Amino acid sequence: ATASCTLNATTGFPGLGASQTVVATYSPGFPAFGASSGNGSLTVTSAGTTTTLAADPQISTATFSVDLNAQVAATSPSLATPTGTVGFSANSTPIPACSGANAKPVTSTGLATCTYSFPTFADNQSISATYTPADASFTTSVSGNVRHDVKEVPSTTTIRSGTVPASGTYGDAYTIVATVASANSASSQQPTGRVVFSAGTVQCTGSLGSDGTATCTLIPPAGDPTRITATYQGDSTFGGSKDQVTSAITPATPEVTL
């Protein structure tokens, strides 16, 4: 006859690594049988773990928060929930608020979360998570690099009303002002960089100031209409945008002196 018993090694054994003694004692149910016991040895080792990482949302926007969720689990046959912390990295660089002394604790469900904002947009960025156990009961594990795409914040460009007259004469200098802003009202960032102003083949460039405006002076070619365009080229956070207005510019009348 055989009997079996399942023990939880996290509570049934006092330590790891050393050989543990297991004793089985038989208590007879009938006087015809005598009591007996036997023992054996068992070595309890650290439980292996896996760390799985996912981002929510799967595709984020530069400067906007994304939750990096690491799920830590013990490998079979262990049924225990790992304890400890998880450190997070973005593009192979530890995230200061989620690594080292700031590594995130593993909850009772095995989850650790880091809230992060990617400062720049680019596809195929990487995130990773490293689990560090609280003690020797579990082994460390790493998620490996997980791809994460970050999109640009959309922008708007507007030529300021009144800086481009409805009509003019060739040779008139137009001082044009363009305002560039985030198209996402939830963004607290201000676009930086340059705005290219163009009228036909004539171009000039203005740099964005702290107020989000760029200014440039050019002499547009004659035409009815002459299209004048302001094009924001974007930066590491914001995508480009443009605005266009027209002005009826007549050729200059030469003066003839006899």
Side-chain angles (χ1 to χ4, degrees):
T2 61
S4 63
C5 174
T6 300
L7 295 176
N8 184 343
T10 61
T11 58
F13 297 90
L16 294 170
S19 178
Q20 311 292 330
T21 299
V22 180
V23 179
T25 301
Y26 167 64
S27 298
F30 299 97
F33 298 96
S36 63
S37 66
N39 60 59
S41 63
L42 177 69
T43 300
V44 180
T45 60
S46 302
T49 63
T50 60
T51 299
T52 306
L53 180 62
D56 182 20
Q58 292 182 338
I59 298 176
S60 64
T61 302
T63 73
F64 284 78
S65 296
V66 56
D67 285 340
L68 309 181
N69 297 313
Q71 186 69 49
V72 183
T75 58
S76 181
S78 176
L79 301 177
T81 299
T83 58
T85 59
V86 175
F88 295 82
S89 295
N91 298 313
S92 301
T93 300
I95 299 172
C98 301
S99 62
N102 296 318
K104 299 303 179 181
V106 178
T107 67
S108 59
T109 61
L111 182 68
T113 298
C114 169
T115 300
Y116 180 61
S117 298
F118 286 84
T120 61
F121 71 89
D123 287 341
N124 202 25
Q125 300 197 55
S126 67
I127 53 177
S128 61
T130 300
Y131 164 65
T132 300
D135 54 38
S137 298
F138 299 94
T139 61
T140 188
S141 57
V142 181
S143 68
N145 288 328
V146 176
R147 171 174 173 158
H148 184 69
D149 294 341
V150 182
K151 302 304 181 183
E152 71 270 20
V153 180
S155 68
T156 61
T157 297
T158 306
I159 295 175
R160 181 179 293 177
S161 176
T163 61
V164 176
S167 61
T169 302
Y170 177 69
D172 293 344
Y174 287 18
T175 299
I176 309 168
V177 179
T179 301
V180 181
S182 171
N184 190 323
S185 60
S187 175
S188 61
Q189 303 293 315
Q190 173 64 48
T192 61
R194 297 183 175 185
V195 176
V196 176
F197 298 84
S198 60
T201 60
V202 179
Q203 288 188 348
C204 63
T205 301
S207 297
L208 284 172
S210 58
D211 61 351
T213 65
T215 303
C216 194
T217 300
L218 55 74
I219 299 175
D224 187 8
T226 293
R227 293 179 173 83
I228 299 173
T229 304
T231 303
Y232 170 57
Q233 300 175 316
D235 59 15
S236 61
T237 300
F238 290 89
S241 56
K242 68 180 180 180
D243 189 23
Q244 187 179 83
V245 296
T246 60
S247 180
I249 302 174
T250 58
T253 302
E255 292 184 2
V256 178
T257 303
L258 299 177

